[in-house]
Each structure stands twice: as structure tokens, then as C-alpha cells.
Amino acid sequence: MNEDARLVAWVRGRVQGVGFRWFTRARALEIGGLSGFALNLDDGRVQVVAEGARQGCEELLDWLRGDDTPGRVDGVTEIWDTPRRIYDGFAIR
């Protein structure tokens, strides 16, 4: 069973000014089938919204929590929801 899902993740650490959003988009495109965006927040975090197959969203979340990201990730908080299907591709905002 691989239903569609919506992942919203907030990434804490040194994740702005290091290409984090660009690499997140590249990883989402590499996984394939994901739409959404990566956005710098005023408090220094990056918000990532991804919709698509739950397995793909989980793979992106594992990458966000892993050691292969640019900068330094101190933690990731996520919520899961039903997809809204309003995104065209995966954008950097």
C-alpha cells in the first residue's frame, strides 16, 4: 500500500545560506513523483512541503534527517496530512 501523502517538515540548524533549499529540490526531483516547495523562514528554519507517494515523502524525510544534507541539521519536526494537489513541480521559494 503506497497511498499519496502530504509531508510538512521544519528543519532546524544551519540550513540557510548553504544551498539547502536547492539540494532539497534536487533530492525531491531525484526521488521522483513529488511536488511542493522548500522555503526559508524568518526564524532560520527551512520549511519543506512535499506531496506524492508516501514512500517518496518518507525517503525525502529520511534524507532531511540524514548526514548528506548541506549545512547542519539539528532537528526536523514533521506533520503528515492528505495531499492538497495544488503544486506544479517542486519549487524553491
Side-chain angles (χ1 to χ4, degrees):
M1 183 168 81
N2 194 20
E3 76 278 2
D4 283 349
R6 173 185 172 90
L7 165 68
V8 182
W10 295 272
V11 185
R12 301 180 308 280
R14 192 171 67 83
V15 292
Q16 290 190 13
V18 294
F20 195 90
R21 293 175 301 153
W22 188 90
F23 279 99
T24 300
R25 179 180 182 272
R27 184 67 181 133
L29 294 175
E30 181 180 310
I31 292 167
L34 297 178
S35 60
F37 62 88
L39 168 72
N40 282 344
L41 299 176
D42 290 339
D43 64 5
R45 296 178 298 164
V46 170
Q47 180 183 20
V48 178
V49 175
E51 293 186 355
R54 185 172 182 100
Q55 181 178 356
C57 291
E58 288 174 351
E59 188 175 335
L60 182 62
L61 180 61
D62 288 344
W63 179 82
L64 291 171
R65 289 189 166 138
D67 295 331
D68 196 30
T69 59
R72 184 193 75 247
V73 174
D74 293 336
V76 179
T77 303
E78 92 275 359
I79 60 171
W80 293 91
D81 201 352
T82 56
R84 297 180 185 170
R85 294 178 173 80
I86 58 174
Y87 306 112
D88 184 25
F90 202 96
I92 296 171
R93 294 187 177 173

